[in-house]
Amino acid sequence: MQRGLFVTLEGVEGAGKSTLMAYIAEIFTDADNKVIQTREPGGTQTGEQIRAILLDKNNVGVIDDTELMLMFAARAQHINEIIKPALASSKVVICDRFTDASYAYQGGGRGIDPARIEILEDWVQQGLKPDLTILFDLDVETGLRRAGNRSEVDRFEQEEISFFERIRSCYLERAKNEPERFRIIDSSQSFDNVKQQIQDILKDYL
Ligand code: TMP
């Protein structure tokens, strides 16, 4: 049974979710919660190896179904090894990306039928869903510029701009369809403003 709190962070590249993860964790820790910070794809030894395959831009021939199933293979490992045990011991799990990213990137971006993604979601998650999903929303060009300044581009970041536009639209659509789970952050604002937006959201969960 799920007893902790499962928080996921989503958004296009460069929208700030990874940078703000530590801040979110600090807010929960200050309110006397035990917090785990993790990420997808990754979060386990096996998952991090799968991540390396997925992000390696030398893997030019990866077909869309392979990409999708590797995401869910890493997720299966992550859920069973890390997420479920942490939730069972009442921890707050903060995860940098989760299944909404599969709908946005492999569904919206690559064009895989969401009905297929749903099959994997049901299989792998068996009802597990985030309690709260914070969507960091930012126009795609600004996001990619920020991400590009940070490090060398990975296999996803080298895609064309329309790929990321479809991803952003898919995220926003999902947020519209599940308003009770999603909260949207306007990442175009200043760093301090974004922190304030986060505080406003989290006060309902402390
Ligand atoms: P990151 O850059 O946020 O760490 O995520 C790695 C990349 O993996 C990012 O470009 C988004 C992508 N991704 C998917 O395509 N599908 C997924 O299900 C997940 C979790 C990530």
Side-chain angles (χ1 to χ4, degrees):
M1 202 179 68
Q2 186 173 328
R3 284 183 286 125
L5 188 75
F6 186 22
V7 181
T8 59
L9 313 182
E10 298 283 358
V12 290
E13 329 292 304
K17 62 188 171 44
S18 310
T19 313
L20 285 151
M21 181 153 179
Y23 181 66
I24 294 169
E26 196 181 300
I27 293 175
F28 279 111
T29 307
D30 287 350
D32 276 344
N33 294 285
K34 290 210 167 64
V35 177
I36 287 196
Q37 299 178 60
T38 186
R39 68 173 179 181
E40 289 206 354
T44 64
Q45 197 188 353
T46 312
E48 289 295 328
Q49 289 184 29
I50 296 173
R51 178 187 177 90
I53 297 172
L54 283 161
L55 297 196
D56 185 348
K57 61 176 190 275
N58 295 314
N59 289 332
V60 284
V62 177
I63 65 163
D64 297 346
D65 282 349
T66 304
E67 185 177 286
L68 176 67
M69 287 190 272
L70 284 176
M71 290 294 175
F72 273 95
R75 185 161 298 135
Q77 192 68 33
H78 194 206
I79 287 171
N80 286 283
E81 206 178 308
I82 305 286
I83 300 176
K84 271 195 185 161
L87 293 175
S89 56
S90 302
K91 291 182 179 142
V92 175
V93 176
I94 307 171
C95 191
D96 186 345
R97 297 194 189 281
F98 194 63
T99 305
D100 293 299
S102 301
Y103 283 98
Y105 282 74
Q106 283 66 54
R110 303 287 191 215
I112 295 180
D113 182 350
R116 289 192 167 191
I117 304 175
E118 245 175 74
I119 294 169
L120 291 170
E121 181 181 24
D122 290 347
W123 178 7
V124 167
Q125 292 169 225
Q126 295 178 18
L128 175 75
K129 288 229 168 181
D131 301 298
L132 166 66
T133 297
I134 303 177
L135 174 59
F136 291 81
D137 184 53
L138 182 64
D139 75 272
V140 164
E141 275 185 43
T142 311
L144 287 175
R145 204 173 331 114
R146 285 189 195 170
N149 289 340
R150 230 175 22 214
S151 57
E152 208 192 316
V153 295
D154 62 33
R155 201 173 60 82
F156 290 97
E157 288 163 349
Q158 63 185 3
E159 290 293 334
E160 60 200 28
I161 199 130
S162 57
F163 175 75
F164 296 101
E165 296 286 7
R166 293 195 297 278
I167 289 163
R168 185 187 184 198
S169 305
C170 182
Y171 271 136
L172 289 170
E173 184 68 24
R174 290 180 68 73
K176 205 172 89 190
N177 292 338
E178 282 187 76
E180 65 297 337
R181 173 164 70 90
F182 274 92
R183 295 289 179 277
I184 301 179
I185 297 268
D186 177 0
S187 287
S188 69
Q189 301 297 314
S190 70
F191 195 57
D192 283 345
N193 179 290
V194 168
K195 281 180 161 176
Q196 186 58 53
Q197 293 180 59
I198 289 172
Q199 280 179 33
D200 291 345
I201 291 168
L202 293 189
K203 66 179 183 312
D204 295 338
Y205 293 86
L206 297 173

